């Protein structure tokens, strides 16, 4: 009877669905609701990995509707259409860690050595492609950086900054190096002068002294004999910190990198006032741009002799090295890659280092009058045939190249007015697996290209953005894919087929009730005639009437891509722009000069003047709104966070004739207070280039403020520190400025996390625009 009732209910369900759907409440497009963020649109599947046997895909995720403060949890899914994600435990993740880890392979492809949970494992593949695991170590130490010998008989790994070898046949583990911190012990120096005369007299007069001297000599001989039979001790000065030890697969040598920390630096600590015990605490802070930096070194360590040869990191003495990264080794163990950048950020040198002897060859050099960088900047590796591959902006766009370790026969694998974003060598070693913007700057697609170059094969479809992970068989893949109005989900695909199967649903039913638009991408006429990409949200796109006002959003980070056809990292702002559009505001979101995605010239257009061409592009946005929608400049608002807050301040202080109000969130106000790595690249150092800092820092132009300004900042911001806006506030007070306000958030860092903070901040932004540039605002009544 119960079964009949259940069947009757199931049969009746489809008839009830339309009525139920009609009763669904409309989506609440309010600040409070949309600032719930991922509680609405879900969490993107992260850390996506295949097991070595290709049977499972693991990822970090949360199902729809999880609380804002919930931590991502581990899930797995069988790579089959219709499969459902399965929650697993952290203990389960520990057990499968060796199946998910990746590492160097043997030359025949049968073996892969990996590090997982501090131990070394071997993945073994048989002729039928079945994979088994063999555990190599099980210790309380932390083993890592594994390598495998070309003959597949020996594994190498690092423990406690020393090299070890494991013989796969005998199971013997041998220590290959004895690296210690400190100074090598030395025999006492022979006395000189008056002390030498007294010692000689003692030896002549007393047999006991002569016996002691003979015994000391014998002990020294015994110690030297023992040392000759032991591993050579390598002493690294106590002031230096070992950052990497990379063993050559041929087992003959290693590259060792160290850093000598700078002396006399000063951190800028951040006070935290909301604490459990009621007493403020200080959060240790970073140093500021221009402070002393550490000194990197890289040495070639010969295992047989214990000799370390410190390598020359730059071709000449005019440019000191600022950073050095030991890259991959060739499969035969003959060469390693050394990636070096200069302290002034204007050079990148790519060296090959021979395992035998440590000879170096400069295989590629890149210089930029501004600073070297770009997508996939430090992407390097070896092809199976021993060529070095690397990515370079030498043509103005990020592309893939190969070269022999002797610097001969350099070849461009890709070219064009688009960018290579990610590179890997395929599992079978026949192809490069690329992620590129080849179709347009506004999409992100996966391709394959033969190792030797040639025609590219597009793997993925659609016009959004893909992040692909290939199965071990190379024929299947999973991709985290999204479109501009659809948050990222995990899909299963097969190479050669255009269709994919959706594996996750991350969005809530509530979120899916709203008709989210795909904002049109338009090209603004730049001040210099250059087209500037922007996304536009029109009131008519959401069924509303224009109210005569406009808003320009400024993305953060500077070098970030936000005008594209995949889901924005500014997801709350994306929803907020819908809210603005429903209220009649026309909204622009601009990829200004300095943004990612458009090549070297676009990236470096802000060199020595932040608030120059990047600000001009927002002036172009204001002019576009005036020319195309008849919006008065006084009724155009501007807002953004971090770099976006900085541009907002520069706009109101220096270009007030094009804007009527602004909200500057977590803003840099004085670049001399920001960090070294970011600021030093773009503006040089404050002690060397005062002009760059003077014309790029809003605090110097605060007297230009005439329009309403909202300043909002987290008080425990360890990135753009609260001190920045405190100093600006004092400057505005001293200037007698009245039309500004500040909102502070005592428990928020640079990126807000609490929905209540987001809600309060964006409520204030909306109220600012409504009361100033809105249809009933002070600017509209003029």
């Amino acid at each position: 009877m119960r079964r009949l009732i259940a069947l009757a209910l199931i049969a009746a369900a489809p008839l009830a669905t339309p009525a139920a759907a009609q009763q669904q409440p409309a989506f609440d497009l309010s600040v409070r609701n949309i600032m719930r963020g991922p509680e609405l649109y879900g969490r993107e599947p992260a850390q996506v990995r295949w097991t070595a046997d290709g049977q499972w895909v693991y990822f970090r995720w949360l199902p729809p509707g999880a609380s804002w403060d919930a931590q991502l949890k581990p899930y797995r899914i069988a790579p089959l259409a219709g499969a459902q994600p399965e929650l697993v435990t952290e203990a389960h993740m520990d057990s499968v860690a060796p199946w998910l880890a990746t590492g160097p392979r043997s030359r025949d492809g049968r073996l892969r050595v990996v590090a997982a949970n501090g131990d070394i494992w071997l993945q073994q593949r048989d002729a039928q492609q079945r994979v088994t695991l063999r555990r190599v170590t099980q210790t309380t130490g932390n083993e890592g950086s594994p390598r495998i010998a070309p003959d597949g008989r020996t594994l190498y790994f690092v423990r406690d900054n020393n090299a070890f070898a494991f013989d796969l046949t005998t199971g013997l583990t041998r220590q290959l190096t004895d690296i210690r911190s400190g100074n090598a012990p030395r025999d006492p120096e022979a006395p000189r002068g008056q002390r030498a005369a007294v010692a000689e007299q003692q030896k002549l007069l007393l047999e006991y002294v002569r016996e002691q001297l003979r015994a000391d000599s014998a002990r020294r001989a015994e110690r030297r004999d023992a040392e000759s039979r032991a591993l050579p001790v390598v002493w690294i000065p106590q002031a230096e910190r070992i950052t990497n030890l990379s063993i050559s697969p041929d087992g003959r040598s290693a590259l060792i990198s160290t850093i000598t920390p700078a002396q006399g630096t000063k951190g800028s600590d951040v006070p935290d006032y909301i604490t459990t015990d009621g007493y403020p605490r200080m959060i240790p802070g970073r140093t500021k741009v221009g402070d002393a930096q550490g000194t990197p070194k890289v040495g070639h360590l010969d295992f047989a002799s214990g000799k370390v040869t410190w390598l020359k990191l730059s071709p000449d003495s005019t440019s000191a090295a600022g950073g050095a990264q030991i890259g991959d080794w060739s499969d035969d163990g003959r060469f390693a890659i050394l990636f070096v950048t200069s302290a002034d950020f204007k050079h990148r040198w790519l060296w090959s280092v021979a395992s035998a002897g440590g000879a170096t060859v400069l295989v590629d050099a890149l210089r930029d009058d501004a600073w070297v960088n770009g997508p996939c900047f430090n992407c390097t590796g070896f092809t199976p045939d021993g060529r070095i591959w690397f990515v370079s902006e030498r043509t103005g766009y990020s592309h893939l190249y190969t070269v022999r370790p002797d610097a001969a026969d350099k070849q461009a694998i890709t070219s064009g007015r688009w960018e290579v974003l990610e590179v890997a060598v395929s599992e079978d070693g026949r192809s490069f697996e690329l992620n590129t913007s080849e179709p347009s700057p506004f999409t992100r697609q996966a391709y394959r290209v033969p190792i030797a170059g040639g025609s590219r094969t597009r793997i993925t479809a659609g016009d959004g953005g893909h992040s692909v992970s290939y199965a071990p068989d190379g024929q299947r893949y999973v991709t985290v894919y999204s479109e501009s109005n659809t948050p990222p989900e995990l899909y299963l695909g097969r190479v050669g087929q255009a269709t994919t199967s959706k594996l996750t649903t991350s969005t809530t039913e509530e979120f899916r009730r709203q008709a989210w638009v795909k904002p049109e991408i338009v090209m603004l006429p730049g001040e210099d005639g250059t087209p500037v990409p922007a996304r536009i949200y029109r009131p008519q796109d959401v069924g509303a009437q224009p109210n005569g006002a406009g808003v320009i959003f400024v993305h953060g980070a500077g070098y970030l891509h936000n005008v594209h056809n995949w889901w924005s990292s500014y997801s709350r702002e994306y929803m907020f722009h819908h809210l603005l559009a429903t209220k009649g505001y026309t909204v622009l979101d601009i990829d200004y000069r300095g943004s990612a995605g458009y090549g070297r010239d676009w990236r470096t257009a802000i060199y020595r003047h932040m608030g120059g061409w990047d600000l001009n592009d927002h002036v172009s946005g204001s002019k576009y709104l005036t020319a195309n929608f008849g919006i008065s400049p006084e009724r155009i608002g501007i807002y953004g966070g971090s770099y976006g807050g900085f541009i907002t301040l520069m706009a109101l202080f220096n270009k007030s004739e094009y804007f009527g109000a602004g909200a500057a969130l977590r803003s840099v106000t004085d670049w001399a207070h920001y960090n070294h790595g970011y600021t030093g690249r773009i503006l040089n150092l404050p002690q060397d280039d005062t002009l760059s800092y003077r014309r790029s820092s809003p605090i110097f132009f605060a007297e230009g403020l005439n329009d309403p300004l909202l300043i909002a900042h987290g008080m425990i911001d360890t990135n753009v520190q609260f001190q920045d806006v405190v100093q600006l506030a004092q400057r505005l007070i001293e200037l007698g400025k009245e039309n500004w306000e500040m909102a502070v958030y005592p428990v928020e860092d640079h990126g807000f996390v609490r929905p209540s903070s987001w809600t309060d901040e964006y409520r204030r932004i909306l109220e600012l625009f409504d009361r100033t540039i809105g249809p009933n605002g002070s600017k509209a009544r003029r």
Side-chain angles (χ1 to χ4, degrees):
M1 184 67 179
R2 289 180 180 175
R3 186 170 183 272
L4 291 175
I5 293 173
L7 289 173
L9 290 172
I10 292 170
L15 299 177
T17 299
Q22 292 174 6
Q23 296 171 6
Q24 290 287 340
F27 180 80
D28 177 20
L29 191 62
S30 65
V31 169
R32 181 175 297 277
N33 195 33
I34 63 180
M35 291 304 148
R36 291 161 53 203
E39 285 188 6
L40 271 177
Y41 56 75
R43 270 69 170 194
E44 175 178 342
Q47 300 177 30
V48 179
R49 293 169 290 173
W50 290 79
T51 52
D53 58 7
Q55 299 300 306
W56 293 94
V57 176
Y58 283 78
F59 54 99
R60 293 268 169 178
W61 186 63
L62 284 173
S67 173
W68 67 269
D69 56 351
Q71 299 298 306
L72 293 180
K73 296 185 180 300
Y75 282 78
R76 71 175 184 175
I77 192 167
L80 300 169
Q84 296 298 312
E86 173 187 343
L87 177 65
V88 297
T89 65
E90 294 294 348
H92 174 86
M93 292 301 295
D94 285 344
S95 68
V96 299
W99 287 95
L100 299 173
T102 188
R105 299 176 64 190
S106 61
R107 301 188 76 178
D108 61 11
R110 294 188 308 107
L111 306 176
R112 185 189 296 276
V113 60
V114 302
N117 297 333
D119 288 314
I120 304 299
W121 300 74
L122 192 67
Q123 299 172 0
Q124 303 174 113
R125 190 178 300 273
D126 64 19
Q128 286 73 43
Q129 300 302 303
R130 292 172 300 199
V131 181
T132 58
L133 282 179
R134 177 180 174 183
R135 188 167 198 156
V136 176
T137 67
Q138 187 173 11
T139 72
T140 58
N142 185 24
E143 289 104 13
S145 304
R147 299 284 175 190
I148 188 164
D151 60 9
R153 298 177 181 176
T154 307
L155 307 182
Y156 302 100
F157 60 90
V158 175
R159 179 196 298 156
D160 298 327
N161 290 326
N162 273 295
F164 292 79
F166 176 83
D167 190 300
L168 286 171
T169 304
T170 65
L172 175 67
T173 298
R174 293 180 298 117
Q175 185 166 341
L176 303 178
T177 63
D178 186 1
I179 301 173
R180 306 181 190 181
S181 178
N183 298 315
R186 294 187 300 178
D187 291 332
E189 293 185 1
R192 292 179 294 181
Q194 174 264 341
R195 290 175 177 79
V198 172
E200 185 63 23
Q201 180 174 296
Q202 292 291 96
K203 185 171 68 172
L204 289 172
L205 291 173
L206 302 172
E207 177 63 24
Y208 175 79
V209 172
R210 292 193 291 272
E211 289 174 354
Q212 292 298 307
L213 291 173
R214 285 194 294 269
D216 289 345
S217 178
R219 283 193 293 269
R220 283 196 298 271
E222 290 172 358
R223 188 181 73 243
R224 292 190 183 107
D225 181 61
E227 289 174 349
S228 69
R229 289 180 277 107
L231 284 174
V233 178
V234 177
W235 292 96
I236 302 297
Q238 193 109 28
E240 298 180 25
R241 179 170 54 87
I242 297 174
T243 55
N244 191 12
L245 180 69
S246 182
I247 307 169
S248 168
D250 65 11
R252 298 179 179 177
S253 66
L255 294 183
I256 182 170
S257 63
T258 72
I259 186 79
T260 302
Q263 299 297 310
T265 58
K266 185 175 183 179
S268 48
D269 296 343
V270 175
D272 180 6
Y273 293 99
I274 308 298
T275 60
T276 55
D277 64 2
Y279 288 87
R281 69 182 180 103
M282 298 302 292
I283 301 172
R286 53 164 172 78
T287 59
K288 299 186 179 185
V289 60
D291 208 342
Q293 302 298 303
T295 304
K297 288 171 58 179
V298 177
H300 173 271
L301 169 58
D302 181 81
F303 287 165
S305 66
K307 178 183 178 182
V308 177
T309 303
W310 295 104
L311 305 180
K312 184 179 180 181
L313 300 182
S314 58
D316 54 54
S317 59
T318 59
S319 297
Q325 176 180 312
I326 300 170
D328 207 355
W329 288 87
S330 58
D331 289 348
D332 59 11
R334 295 178 59 203
F335 298 99
I337 300 168
L338 183 58
F339 185 97
V340 182
T341 52
S342 61
D344 64 2
F345 307 109
K346 301 183 187 304
H347 298 268
R348 187 270 290 140
W349 302 294
L350 197 63
W351 301 88
S352 70
V353 185
S355 174
T360 58
V361 174
L362 183 62
V363 297
D364 191 75
L366 181 66
R367 184 185 187 281
D368 197 304
D369 291 337
W371 74 97
V372 290
N373 207 335
C376 217
F377 175 56
N378 59 352
C379 295
T380 62
F382 276 97
T383 63
D385 61 355
R387 292 177 66 86
I388 294 172
W389 64 262
F390 62 96
V391 175
S392 173
E393 266 189 339
R394 66 169 54 250
T395 65
Y397 291 87
S398 175
H399 281 291
L400 176 63
Y401 299 83
T402 66
V403 64
R404 287 190 348 206
D406 62 359
D409 191 29
K410 191 174 297 181
Q411 297 178 11
I413 304 299
T414 64
S415 63
R417 295 176 63 84
W418 48 273
E419 296 192 303
V420 171
L421 307 173
E422 297 175 5
V423 184
V425 175
S426 64
E427 191 77 5
D428 61 12
R430 299 177 181 176
S431 305
F432 287 112
E433 294 170 341
L434 311 178
N435 192 288
T436 83
S437 62
E438 183 172 354
S440 86
F442 313 121
T443 186
R444 196 169 56 191
Q445 302 291 338
Y447 287 81
R448 276 182 175 160
V449 61
I451 288 290
S455 300
R456 290 176 294 282
T457 300
R458 181 166 167 175
I459 305 299
T460 50
D463 196 34
H466 287 274
S467 180
V468 169
S469 301
Y470 291 93
D473 62 17
Q475 296 305 304
R476 296 169 298 156
Y477 64 89
V478 287
T479 177
V480 178
Y481 176 73
S482 66
E483 297 182 348
S484 57
N485 65 341
T486 308
E489 301 287 5
L490 190 65
Y491 293 82
L492 173 66
R494 180 169 288 275
V495 174
Q497 297 180 5
T499 59
T500 57
S501 302
K502 187 178 177 184
L503 299 178
T504 60
T505 297
S506 306
T507 56
T508 62
E509 186 276 333
E510 179 187 3
F511 176 83
R512 296 193 296 274
R513 288 205 302 266
Q514 174 69 16
W516 303 105
V517 303
K518 292 184 176 181
E520 181 186 354
I521 295 176
V522 297
M523 304 305 288
L524 314 177
E527 300 299 282
D528 59 351
T530 301
V532 179
R535 299 205 292 188
I536 189 167
Y537 302 76
R538 304 179 185 89
Q540 51 266 42
D541 296 338
V542 294
Q545 294 297 316
N547 68 9
V551 172
I552 295 176
F553 169 66
V554 191
H555 71 68
Y559 192 60
L560 178 144
H561 196 186
N562 199 45
V563 176
H564 48 60
N565 293 328
W566 62 90
W567 185 247
S568 173
S569 57
Y570 288 94
S571 45
R572 289 180 177 86
E573 287 76 6
Y574 169 80
M575 295 186 290
F576 184 61
H577 297 162
H578 281 71
L579 174 58
L580 289 173
T582 63
K583 294 172 69 67
Y585 294 94
T586 302
V587 183
L588 280 180
D589 169 4
I590 302 171
D591 262 355
Y592 49 89
R593 245 66 72 96
S595 299
Y598 308 97
R600 179 266 172 198
D601 290 350
W602 201 267
R603 175 178 67 79
T604 61
I606 59 173
Y607 178 57
R608 298 192 67 230
H609 192 185
M610 292 191 276
W613 279 111
D614 44 3
L615 176 56
N616 286 341
D617 290 340
H618 290 90
V619 169
S620 298
S622 174
K623 291 180 178 179
Y624 178 88
L625 292 175
T626 301
N628 291 274
F629 301 95
I631 300 174
S632 165
E634 276 298 294
R635 296 193 61 195
I636 296 173
I638 185 169
Y639 87 102
S642 195
Y643 200 96
F646 152 73
I647 286 291
T648 298
L649 293 176
M650 293 294 270
L652 295 190
F653 294 173
N654 288 330
K655 299 288 184 178
S656 61
E657 65 269 32
Y658 296 103
F659 305 97
L665 323 175
R666 51 193 180 276
S667 317
V668 174
T669 69
D670 187 344
W671 286 107
H673 292 280
Y674 199 50
N675 68 39
H676 185 85
Y678 181 90
T679 322
R681 284 173 165 81
I682 304 173
L683 298 181
N684 303 317
L685 303 185
Q687 60 266 42
D688 301 331
D689 196 345
T690 55
L691 173 61
S692 293
Y693 284 81
R694 172 65 174 78
R695 67 184 179 182
S696 298
S697 297
I699 198 166
F700 289 102
F701 305 100
E703 66 274 8
L705 178 63
N706 297 307
D707 295 306
L709 167 64
L710 166 65
I711 300 170
H713 213 106
M715 292 181 68
I716 57 171
D717 191 333
T718 57
N719 182 12
V720 180
Q721 296 174 349
F722 187 55
Q723 179 190 22
D724 263 49
V725 293
V726 171
Q727 293 190 151
L728 178 61
Q730 181 61 26
R731 176 83 172 130
L732 294 172
I733 291 168
E734 292 177 0
L735 288 169
K737 298 296 181 179
E738 299 176 355
N739 207 9
W740 65 279
E741 59 184 309
M742 180 180 289
V744 300
Y745 298 87
V747 299
E748 296 291 1
D749 201 336
H750 193 60
F752 285 14
V753 294
R754 302 181 66 84
S756 57
S757 301
W758 282 103
T759 298
D760 184 85
E761 183 177 53
Y762 276 73
R763 171 188 62 79
R764 293 173 186 272
I765 297 169
L766 182 59
E767 290 175 357
L768 169 71
F769 291 150
D770 281 348
R771 73 172 182 263
T772 57
I773 65 172
N776 299 312
S778 58
K779 302 281 185 170
R781 295 194 295 268
R782 291 183 180 179

